[in-house]
Amino acid sequence: MKSVLPAIALILLAATSTAATLDLHGLKPDEVAIWAAPVEGGTELASLRADAAVNPASTMKLLTSWTALNRLKPGYRWTTRLVSAAPLENGVLKGDLVWVGAGDPRFSTANLQELLRGLRQRGVQRIDGRLLLDKSAFSSIGTAENFGGDEGKSFTVEPDTHLTGLKVAWLRFFNDANGARVVLDPPLAGVSLQARLSSAGASTACPDVRQWVQIRQQGGQIEVSGKLPTACDGSQAYVNVLEHNDFAAQSFAALWAELGGSGPQGVALAPAPAGARTLAQFQSEPLTVALADINKYSNNTMARTVYLTLGREEGGSDTPAAAQRAVRRLLAEQHISDEALVLENGCGLSRRERVSARMLGQVLLNAARGPYGGELLASLPVASEDGTLKRRFASIGPRLRMKTGTLKDVKALAGYWQAADGRRLAIVAIINSPRALAMGPALDGIVADLIHRFDRSAPDSSQLAPAEAIMQP
């Protein structure tokens, strides 16, 4: 006990000292965890509760991204295939067609259309057998529990081997000489669209078509009503419909019909048979493109898919557990403690996940000093310019790149500042408090002050504009 108490006292003293010298902008010391250090080396700039286990919200995506860059490599691509063991005779596939899903996080309806175009170019005109969905890429998708109140929102869509267009269909609105109307894209057989739209005449702008129309959805039934201004011609809104398998199969059928194809004769789940040959395939853009979508716009579904891909490449049959092993193994290899780490799905859409500010900061340092630092940096939102930082830190500007995080009771920022002379600062600041969502301006103020402490030429918190307090995810 004698050896432990002085150590605890030193930790408390360090935390008290940091809290005393750093303006917390109304936050209590036990509501926030802070860590900052120069990338080029030297002593830590700030450390407050840096070893406490805190919920990181979407800044957890940094850990998944760092692991993916090191394990999968920046050029990693997902390959989606259509295969069959059936003969092709006079344009007719005399048996089942198997869609082998790869878990491509960015696979869109346009990509599916390109895949099907390859099937037509192969000479297939009719599929006499079934469409089989081979879902063996992921043995399990893990969980993101206690978000029932957000069910149906695009950010809660679960990952899937056959994820297509993030499982959302688009309502596309038109108001021209032919009147006000709406169409569903893609046209899904299992979705009924009923519209009662009239023209509202001229309008100066249409920033959001939902201001003018009401969209009600229950299962596969969508009702749209309202008065549509002419300014809304060409507008669109998404709807989250159907289950993954139904959405994928019905998207396939709709796009196949548009290309002049006929069939298939039903849908089922089954692995590709031995000896099946590839008839068409689509290869995704590199991992780095997916990471930009994930980090700039905080896409949970795509981040979970990358996390599961880590598990698949790890070689485990228990995909989420294998993904966790991949993350922890890399941390161990880089001598970064994972003592505070709790993983659920790798994206931060979790009430369970935990990190320490120090651990996340050491990941940032390791990434910046490693071979893929540029790729990670490029994936982050640029302050005042894009992604979830587009309306924040205007007075500080694009030398600041940070991943944001927001959940009930959580507000977080983690990333980098680069001074004009090239020096870089890694910063992690995470609020865990019932007041978190209201304390966004305080979080921004802490980050601004850390930057100014490191780089006196940079603005401090007093120069942040009030408009920069707009809440972002």
Side-chain angles (χ1 to χ4, degrees), residues 35-39 58-60 62 295 357 360-365 367-368 373 376-377 379-382 389 393 399-405 412-418 424-430 447 450-451 454:
W35 179 96
V39 171
S58 282
T59 57
M60 180 64 88
L62 290 169
N295 290 328
L360 198 55
Q362 288 176 342
V363 165
L364 289 172
L365 290 183
L376 181 65
L377 183 68
S379 76
L380 299 181
V382 180
L389 283 187
F393 297 108
R399 291 188 179 278
L400 179 65
R401 297 192 177 206
M402 303 197 88
K403 180 72 197 75
T404 60
L413 285 167
Y416 304 99
W417 165 259
Q418 181 169 327
R424 296 170 293 172
L425 179 70
I427 307 168
V428 180
I430 302 173
V447 168
L450 287 171
I451 292 170
F454 175 74

Tab-separated table of all heavy atoms in Angstrom, residues 35-39 58-60 62 295 357 360-365 367-368 373 376-377 379-382 389 393 399-405 412-418 424-430 447 450-451 454:
chain	number	residue	atom	x	y	z
A	35	TRP	N	-5.594	15.116	-23.486
A	35	TRP	CA	-4.196	14.727	-23.695
A	35	TRP	C	-3.707	15.425	-24.949
A	35	TRP	O	-4.431	15.519	-25.953
A	35	TRP	CB	-4.084	13.209	-23.856
A	35	TRP	CG	-2.685	12.723	-24.104
A	35	TRP	CD1	-1.798	12.255	-23.188
A	35	TRP	CD2	-2.015	12.644	-25.371
A	35	TRP	NE1	-0.616	11.904	-23.786
A	35	TRP	CE2	-0.725	12.134	-25.128
A	35	TRP	CE3	-2.377	12.965	-26.673
A	35	TRP	CZ2	0.201	11.937	-26.141
A	35	TRP	CZ3	-1.459	12.777	-27.696
A	35	TRP	CH2	-0.183	12.260	-27.424
A	36	ALA	N	-2.490	15.917	-24.922
A	36	ALA	CA	-1.890	16.535	-26.115
A	36	ALA	C	-0.385	16.415	-26.025
A	36	ALA	O	0.201	16.548	-24.945
A	36	ALA	CB	-2.302	17.996	-26.232
A	37	ALA	N	0.256	16.172	-27.174
A	37	ALA	CA	1.714	16.050	-27.214
A	37	ALA	C	2.216	16.348	-28.623
A	37	ALA	O	1.516	16.093	-29.611
A	37	ALA	CB	2.149	14.644	-26.793
A	38	PRO	N	3.442	16.881	-28.736
A	38	PRO	CA	4.021	17.153	-30.059
A	38	PRO	C	4.326	15.854	-30.805
A	38	PRO	O	4.859	14.907	-30.224
A	38	PRO	CB	5.312	17.906	-29.733
A	38	PRO	CG	5.185	18.351	-28.314
A	38	PRO	CD	4.329	17.339	-27.641
A	39	VAL	N	4.004	15.829	-32.080
A	39	VAL	CA	4.292	14.650	-32.906
A	39	VAL	C	5.790	14.453	-33.046
A	39	VAL	O	6.290	13.319	-33.046
A	39	VAL	CB	3.644	14.802	-34.300
A	39	VAL	CG1	4.119	13.693	-35.245
A	39	VAL	CG2	2.119	14.783	-34.185
A	58	SER	N	-17.562	8.701	-31.790
A	58	SER	CA	-17.015	8.376	-33.116
A	58	SER	C	-15.517	8.582	-33.261
A	58	SER	O	-14.954	8.232	-34.305
A	58	SER	CB	-17.743	9.176	-34.197
A	58	SER	OG	-19.000	8.590	-34.470
A	59	THR	N	-14.843	9.127	-32.253
A	59	THR	CA	-13.385	9.174	-32.361
A	59	THR	C	-12.798	7.758	-32.299
A	59	THR	O	-11.625	7.572	-32.640
A	59	THR	CB	-12.757	10.054	-31.255
A	59	THR	OG1	-13.137	9.566	-29.967
A	59	THR	CG2	-13.193	11.506	-31.409
A	60	MET	N	-13.608	6.765	-31.917
A	60	MET	CA	-13.171	5.370	-31.988
A	60	MET	C	-12.830	4.969	-33.415
A	60	MET	O	-12.011	4.070	-33.653
A	60	MET	CB	-14.259	4.448	-31.428
A	60	MET	CG	-13.902	2.966	-31.444
A	60	MET	SD	-12.496	2.552	-30.389
A	60	MET	CE	-13.332	2.253	-28.819
A	62	LEU	N	-10.959	6.397	-35.370
A	62	LEU	CA	-9.522	6.583	-35.586
A	62	LEU	C	-8.754	5.299	-35.319
A	62	LEU	O	-7.813	4.964	-36.051
A	62	LEU	CB	-9.003	7.698	-34.684
A	62	LEU	CG	-9.457	9.119	-35.023
A	62	LEU	CD1	-9.089	10.069	-33.898
A	62	LEU	CD2	-8.847	9.574	-36.343
A	295	ASN	N	-14.454	8.931	-41.902
A	295	ASN	CA	-13.980	9.907	-40.929
A	295	ASN	C	-14.492	11.318	-41.177
A	295	ASN	O	-14.806	12.046	-40.234
A	295	ASN	CB	-12.457	9.895	-40.875
A	295	ASN	CG	-11.926	8.616	-40.252
A	295	ASN	OD1	-12.558	8.027	-39.378
A	295	ASN	ND2	-10.775	8.151	-40.718
A	357	ALA	N	-7.777	8.774	-23.179
A	357	ALA	CA	-7.277	9.857	-24.039
A	357	ALA	C	-5.817	9.623	-24.393
A	357	ALA	O	-5.384	9.904	-25.518
A	357	ALA	CB	-7.457	11.198	-23.341
A	360	LEU	N	-5.573	6.845	-27.180
A	360	LEU	CA	-5.957	7.370	-28.486
A	360	LEU	C	-4.906	8.354	-28.981
A	360	LEU	O	-4.578	8.386	-30.181
A	360	LEU	CB	-7.329	8.044	-28.387
A	360	LEU	CG	-8.080	8.269	-29.697
A	360	LEU	CD1	-8.234	6.972	-30.477
A	360	LEU	CD2	-9.453	8.879	-29.416
A	361	GLY	N	-4.341	9.133	-28.067
A	361	GLY	CA	-3.278	10.059	-28.459
A	361	GLY	C	-2.033	9.346	-28.936
A	361	GLY	O	-1.392	9.771	-29.921
A	362	GLN	N	-1.668	8.257	-28.286
A	362	GLN	CA	-0.496	7.500	-28.721
A	362	GLN	C	-0.731	6.841	-30.079
A	362	GLN	O	0.210	6.698	-30.869
A	362	GLN	CB	-0.142	6.461	-27.653
A	362	GLN	CG	0.459	7.086	-26.406
A	362	GLN	CD	0.723	6.082	-25.310
A	362	GLN	OE1	0.179	4.977	-25.299
A	362	GLN	NE2	1.562	6.465	-24.354
A	363	VAL	N	-1.973	6.470	-30.346
A	363	VAL	CA	-2.304	5.977	-31.690
A	363	VAL	C	-2.094	7.079	-32.716
A	363	VAL	O	-1.535	6.856	-33.801
A	363	VAL	CB	-3.752	5.446	-31.726
A	363	VAL	CG1	-4.240	5.265	-33.165
A	363	VAL	CG2	-3.861	4.130	-30.968
A	364	LEU	N	-2.528	8.296	-32.391
A	364	LEU	CA	-2.322	9.422	-33.304
A	364	LEU	C	-0.836	9.687	-33.537
A	364	LEU	O	-0.407	9.947	-34.671
A	364	LEU	CB	-2.998	10.673	-32.746
A	364	LEU	CG	-4.526	10.701	-32.777
A	364	LEU	CD1	-5.049	11.906	-32.008
A	364	LEU	CD2	-5.043	10.718	-34.208
A	365	LEU	N	-0.033	9.628	-32.464
A	365	LEU	CA	1.413	9.825	-32.617
A	365	LEU	C	2.016	8.738	-33.487
A	365	LEU	O	2.819	9.000	-34.386
A	365	LEU	CB	2.091	9.814	-31.244
A	365	LEU	CG	1.847	10.999	-30.316
A	365	LEU	CD1	2.663	10.829	-29.040
A	365	LEU	CD2	2.187	12.319	-30.989
A	367	ALA	N	0.564	6.871	-35.711
A	367	ALA	CA	0.121	7.022	-37.099
A	367	ALA	C	0.906	8.123	-37.803
A	367	ALA	O	1.405	7.939	-38.926
A	367	ALA	CB	-1.371	7.336	-37.136
A	368	ALA	N	1.057	9.278	-37.139
A	368	ALA	CA	1.748	10.418	-37.760
A	368	ALA	C	3.207	10.117	-38.043
A	368	ALA	O	3.783	10.623	-39.013
A	368	ALA	CB	1.623	11.644	-36.864
A	373	GLY	N	0.749	7.847	-42.169
A	373	GLY	CA	0.266	9.052	-41.504
A	373	GLY	C	-0.459	9.994	-42.452
A	373	GLY	O	-1.475	10.593	-42.088
A	376	LEU	N	-4.041	8.710	-43.126
A	376	LEU	CA	-4.983	8.949	-42.034
A	376	LEU	C	-5.344	10.426	-41.953
A	376	LEU	O	-6.523	10.789	-41.813
A	376	LEU	CB	-4.399	8.469	-40.701
A	376	LEU	CG	-5.320	8.652	-39.492
A	376	LEU	CD1	-6.561	7.780	-39.632
A	376	LEU	CD2	-4.600	8.338	-38.191
A	377	LEU	N	-4.335	11.283	-42.057
A	377	LEU	CA	-4.581	12.719	-41.991
A	377	LEU	C	-5.550	13.163	-43.085
A	377	LEU	O	-6.467	13.957	-42.843
A	377	LEU	CB	-3.260	13.477	-42.121
A	377	LEU	CG	-3.354	15.005	-41.988
A	377	LEU	CD1	-3.736	15.393	-40.571
A	377	LEU	CD2	-2.032	15.651	-42.389
A	379	SER	N	-7.897	11.626	-44.373
A	379	SER	CA	-9.269	11.148	-44.166
A	379	SER	C	-10.035	12.000	-43.161
A	379	SER	O	-11.262	11.853	-43.044
A	379	SER	CB	-9.252	9.697	-43.674
A	379	SER	OG	-8.880	9.598	-42.302
A	380	LEU	N	-9.348	12.902	-42.440
A	380	LEU	CA	-9.995	13.640	-41.357
A	380	LEU	C	-10.680	14.907	-41.862
A	380	LEU	O	-10.236	15.529	-42.830
A	380	LEU	CB	-8.961	14.013	-40.296
A	380	LEU	CG	-8.237	12.857	-39.614
A	380	LEU	CD1	-7.257	13.385	-38.567
A	380	LEU	CD2	-9.212	11.887	-38.988
A	381	PRO	N	-11.752	15.312	-41.198
A	381	PRO	CA	-12.392	16.584	-41.546
A	381	PRO	C	-11.419	17.746	-41.406
A	381	PRO	O	-10.605	17.786	-40.474
A	381	PRO	CB	-13.527	16.690	-40.520
A	381	PRO	CG	-13.804	15.293	-40.084
A	381	PRO	CD	-12.476	14.599	-40.121
A	382	VAL	N	-11.519	18.675	-42.333
A	382	VAL	CA	-10.671	19.869	-42.324
A	382	VAL	C	-11.463	21.010	-41.693
A	382	VAL	O	-12.565	21.337	-42.152
A	382	VAL	CB	-10.235	20.245	-43.753
A	382	VAL	CG1	-9.362	21.496	-43.737
A	382	VAL	CG2	-9.509	19.082	-44.417
A	389	LEU	N	-16.538	19.111	-39.564
A	389	LEU	CA	-15.914	20.343	-39.050
A	389	LEU	C	-16.182	21.546	-39.953
A	389	LEU	O	-15.591	22.610	-39.758
A	389	LEU	CB	-14.397	20.177	-38.905
A	389	LEU	CG	-13.878	19.389	-37.706
A	389	LEU	CD1	-12.361	19.476	-37.647
A	389	LEU	CD2	-14.474	19.879	-36.395
A	393	PHE	N	-14.469	26.042	-36.028
A	393	PHE	CA	-13.082	26.505	-36.025
A	393	PHE	C	-12.739	27.360	-37.250
A	393	PHE	O	-11.635	27.275	-37.783
A	393	PHE	CB	-12.126	25.318	-35.946
A	393	PHE	CG	-12.239	24.513	-34.684
A	393	PHE	CD1	-12.813	23.242	-34.692
A	393	PHE	CD2	-11.773	25.017	-33.474
A	393	PHE	CE1	-12.917	22.496	-33.534
A	393	PHE	CE2	-11.873	24.275	-32.315
A	393	PHE	CZ	-12.445	23.011	-32.332
A	399	ARG	N	-5.434	24.228	-40.930
A	399	ARG	CA	-4.285	23.531	-40.326
A	399	ARG	C	-4.734	22.563	-39.233
A	399	ARG	O	-3.943	21.763	-38.744
A	399	ARG	CB	-3.283	24.540	-39.760
A	399	ARG	CG	-2.568	25.339	-40.834
A	399	ARG	CD	-1.438	26.182	-40.260
A	399	ARG	NE	-0.772	26.916	-41.309
A	399	ARG	CZ	0.163	26.416	-42.103
A	399	ARG	NH1	0.524	25.157	-41.949
A	399	ARG	NH2	0.721	27.142	-43.045
A	400	LEU	N	-6.013	22.647	-38.878
A	400	LEU	CA	-6.582	21.750	-37.872
A	400	LEU	C	-7.416	20.681	-38.564
A	400	LEU	O	-8.307	20.990	-39.354
A	400	LEU	CB	-7.462	22.540	-36.907
A	400	LEU	CG	-8.150	21.718	-35.805
A	400	LEU	CD1	-7.131	21.100	-34.856
A	400	LEU	CD2	-9.148	22.587	-35.032
A	401	ARG	N	-7.094	19.430	-38.280
A	401	ARG	CA	-7.875	18.300	-38.815
A	401	ARG	C	-8.196	17.368	-37.651
A	401	ARG	O	-7.289	16.872	-36.991
A	401	ARG	CB	-7.093	17.550	-39.895
A	401	ARG	CG	-6.797	18.411	-41.122
A	401	ARG	CD	-6.300	17.576	-42.278
A	401	ARG	NE	-6.077	18.382	-43.455
A	401	ARG	CZ	-6.125	17.925	-44.708
A	401	ARG	NH1	-6.392	16.651	-44.925
A	401	ARG	NH2	-5.908	18.719	-45.728
A	402	MET	N	-9.502	17.137	-37.437
A	402	MET	CA	-9.891	16.354	-36.270
A	402	MET	C	-11.104	15.476	-36.568
A	402	MET	O	-11.984	15.858	-37.343
A	402	MET	CB	-10.235	17.263	-35.086
A	402	MET	CG	-9.139	18.210	-34.661
A	402	MET	SD	-9.397	18.878	-33.001
A	402	MET	CE	-8.601	17.620	-32.017
A	403	LYS	N	-11.115	14.305	-35.940
A	403	LYS	CA	-12.300	13.456	-35.953
A	403	LYS	C	-13.209	13.919	-34.831
A	403	LYS	O	-12.762	14.143	-33.709
A	403	LYS	CB	-11.904	11.983	-35.749
A	403	LYS	CG	-13.093	11.033	-35.750
A	403	LYS	CD	-13.648	10.887	-37.148
A	403	LYS	CE	-15.058	10.287	-37.113
A	403	LYS	NZ	-16.079	11.255	-36.679
A	404	THR	N	-14.481	14.060	-35.150
A	404	THR	CA	-15.460	14.470	-34.159
A	404	THR	C	-16.177	13.250	-33.592
A	404	THR	O	-16.150	12.161	-34.181
A	404	THR	CB	-16.496	15.414	-34.783
A	404	THR	OG1	-17.158	14.715	-35.853
A	404	THR	CG2	-15.838	16.661	-35.339
A	405	GLY	N	-16.849	13.437	-32.474
A	405	GLY	CA	-17.643	12.365	-31.887
A	405	GLY	C	-18.765	12.928	-31.054
A	405	GLY	O	-18.552	13.837	-30.252
A	412	ALA	N	-16.637	14.695	-28.328
A	412	ALA	CA	-15.207	14.386	-28.432
A	412	ALA	C	-14.585	15.007	-29.676
A	412	ALA	O	-15.256	15.211	-30.695
A	412	ALA	CB	-15.009	12.871	-28.451
A	413	LEU	N	-13.290	15.266	-29.576
A	413	LEU	CA	-12.465	15.692	-30.700
A	413	LEU	C	-11.098	15.029	-30.566
A	413	LEU	O	-10.540	14.958	-29.464
A	413	LEU	CB	-12.277	17.214	-30.707
A	413	LEU	CG	-13.452	18.073	-31.167
A	413	LEU	CD1	-13.208	19.540	-30.821
A	413	LEU	CD2	-13.691	17.917	-32.667
A	414	ALA	N	-10.552	14.565	-31.679
A	414	ALA	CA	-9.209	13.973	-31.662
A	414	ALA	C	-8.592	14.144	-33.042
A	414	ALA	O	-9.231	13.837	-34.057
A	414	ALA	CB	-9.266	12.494	-31.285
A	415	GLY	N	-7.363	14.638	-33.078
A	415	GLY	CA	-6.702	14.815	-34.372
A	415	GLY	C	-5.432	15.630	-34.237
A	415	GLY	O	-4.723	15.538	-33.232
A	416	TYR	N	-5.160	16.470	-35.259
A	416	TYR	CA	-3.859	17.129	-35.367
A	416	TYR	C	-3.970	18.613	-35.694
A	416	TYR	O	-4.851	19.040	-36.447
A	416	TYR	CB	-3.040	16.500	-36.483
A	416	TYR	CG	-2.824	15.011	-36.393
A	416	TYR	CD1	-3.620	14.135	-37.134
A	416	TYR	CD2	-1.804	14.474	-35.600
A	416	TYR	CE1	-3.405	12.766	-37.086
A	416	TYR	CE2	-1.586	13.104	-35.541
A	416	TYR	CZ	-2.393	12.256	-36.290
A	416	TYR	OH	-2.185	10.904	-36.241
A	417	TRP	N	-3.020	19.369	-35.138
A	417	TRP	CA	-2.758	20.731	-35.586
A	417	TRP	C	-1.374	20.752	-36.209
A	417	TRP	O	-0.437	20.138	-35.684
A	417	TRP	CB	-2.798	21.703	-34.408
A	417	TRP	CG	-2.194	23.044	-34.724
A	417	TRP	CD1	-0.953	23.498	-34.377
A	417	TRP	CD2	-2.809	24.102	-35.460
A	417	TRP	NE1	-0.758	24.772	-34.845
A	417	TRP	CE2	-1.885	25.174	-35.525
A	417	TRP	CE3	-4.050	24.259	-36.076
A	417	TRP	CZ2	-2.163	26.363	-36.158
A	417	TRP	CZ3	-4.337	25.452	-36.727
A	417	TRP	CH2	-3.401	26.483	-36.768
A	418	GLN	N	-1.242	21.445	-37.346
A	418	GLN	CA	0.077	21.615	-37.955
A	418	GLN	C	0.396	23.094	-38.042
A	418	GLN	O	-0.320	23.867	-38.692
A	418	GLN	CB	0.154	20.993	-39.351
A	418	GLN	CG	1.546	21.162	-39.976
A	418	GLN	CD	1.732	20.331	-41.228
A	418	GLN	OE1	1.186	19.246	-41.339
A	418	GLN	NE2	2.513	20.846	-42.167
A	424	ARG	N	3.877	19.601	-35.498
A	424	ARG	CA	2.530	19.057	-35.372
A	424	ARG	C	2.209	18.720	-33.919
A	424	ARG	O	3.078	18.296	-33.159
A	424	ARG	CB	2.381	17.804	-36.231
A	424	ARG	CG	2.523	18.049	-37.728
A	424	ARG	CD	2.613	16.757	-38.501
A	424	ARG	NE	3.862	16.039	-38.198
A	424	ARG	CZ	4.138	14.807	-38.616
A	424	ARG	NH1	3.249	14.144	-39.348
A	424	ARG	NH2	5.286	14.241	-38.308
A	425	LEU	N	0.942	18.888	-33.589
A	425	LEU	CA	0.456	18.578	-32.250
A	425	LEU	C	-0.696	17.584	-32.362
A	425	LEU	O	-1.638	17.814	-33.131
A	425	LEU	CB	-0.032	19.853	-31.552
A	425	LEU	CG	-0.598	19.676	-30.132
A	425	LEU	CD1	0.518	19.311	-29.152
A	425	LEU	CD2	-1.322	20.953	-29.680
A	426	ALA	N	-0.608	16.478	-31.631
A	426	ALA	CA	-1.713	15.524	-31.538
A	426	ALA	C	-2.563	15.892	-30.332
A	426	ALA	O	-2.031	16.148	-29.243
A	426	ALA	CB	-1.179	14.103	-31.401
A	427	ILE	N	-3.877	15.926	-30.519
A	427	ILE	CA	-4.801	16.398	-29.485
A	427	ILE	C	-5.951	15.418	-29.314
A	427	ILE	O	-6.533	14.950	-30.306
A	427	ILE	CB	-5.389	17.778	-29.850
A	427	ILE	CG1	-4.288	18.784	-30.175
A	427	ILE	CG2	-6.305	18.293	-28.740
A	427	ILE	CD1	-4.821	20.069	-30.808
A	428	VAL	N	-6.301	15.118	-28.068
A	428	VAL	CA	-7.492	14.340	-27.750
A	428	VAL	C	-8.222	15.052	-26.620
A	428	VAL	O	-7.609	15.382	-25.591
A	428	VAL	CB	-7.151	12.902	-27.306
A	428	VAL	CG1	-8.430	12.124	-26.978
A	428	VAL	CG2	-6.343	12.180	-28.378
A	429	ALA	N	-9.510	15.316	-26.802
A	429	ALA	CA	-10.327	15.930	-25.752
A	429	ALA	C	-11.709	15.289	-25.802
A	429	ALA	O	-12.384	15.350	-26.837
A	429	ALA	CB	-10.422	17.434	-25.947
A	430	ILE	N	-12.118	14.669	-24.690
A	430	ILE	CA	-13.359	13.893	-24.663
A	430	ILE	C	-14.169	14.260	-23.432
A	430	ILE	O	-13.690	14.126	-22.301
A	430	ILE	CB	-13.070	12.376	-24.656
A	430	ILE	CG1	-12.245	11.975	-25.879
A	430	ILE	CG2	-14.380	11.583	-24.622
A	430	ILE	CD1	-11.772	10.525	-25.856
A	447	VAL	N	-9.659	22.913	-27.142
A	447	VAL	CA	-8.793	22.580	-28.272
A	447	VAL	C	-8.068	23.826	-28.776
A	447	VAL	O	-6.859	23.807	-29.042
A	447	VAL	CB	-9.611	21.910	-29.400
A	447	VAL	CG1	-8.788	21.829	-30.694
A	447	VAL	CG2	-10.071	20.524	-28.974
A	450	LEU	N	-5.257	24.724	-26.414
A	450	LEU	CA	-4.122	23.807	-26.543
A	450	LEU	C	-3.291	24.160	-27.771
A	450	LEU	O	-2.050	24.160	-27.718
A	450	LEU	CB	-4.619	22.365	-26.642
A	450	LEU	CG	-5.161	21.730	-25.362
A	450	LEU	CD1	-5.823	20.391	-25.666
A	450	LEU	CD2	-4.041	21.544	-24.339
A	451	ILE	N	-3.958	24.469	-28.860
A	451	ILE	CA	-3.243	24.840	-30.079
A	451	ILE	C	-2.423	26.109	-29.836
A	451	ILE	O	-1.257	26.202	-30.224
A	451	ILE	CB	-4.238	25.037	-31.242
A	451	ILE	CG1	-4.865	23.700	-31.641
A	451	ILE	CG2	-3.550	25.693	-32.439
A	451	ILE	CD1	-6.037	23.839	-32.606
A	454	PHE	N	0.670	25.591	-27.844
A	454	PHE	CA	1.711	24.950	-28.647
A	454	PHE	C	2.281	25.898	-29.698
A	454	PHE	O	3.477	25.882	-29.994
A	454	PHE	CB	1.116	23.708	-29.316
A	454	PHE	CG	2.020	22.990	-30.270
A	454	PHE	CD1	3.071	22.210	-29.816
A	454	PHE	CD2	1.807	23.076	-31.646
A	454	PHE	CE1	3.899	21.539	-30.693
A	454	PHE	CE2	2.635	22.396	-32.543
A	454	PHE	CZ	3.678	21.626	-32.065
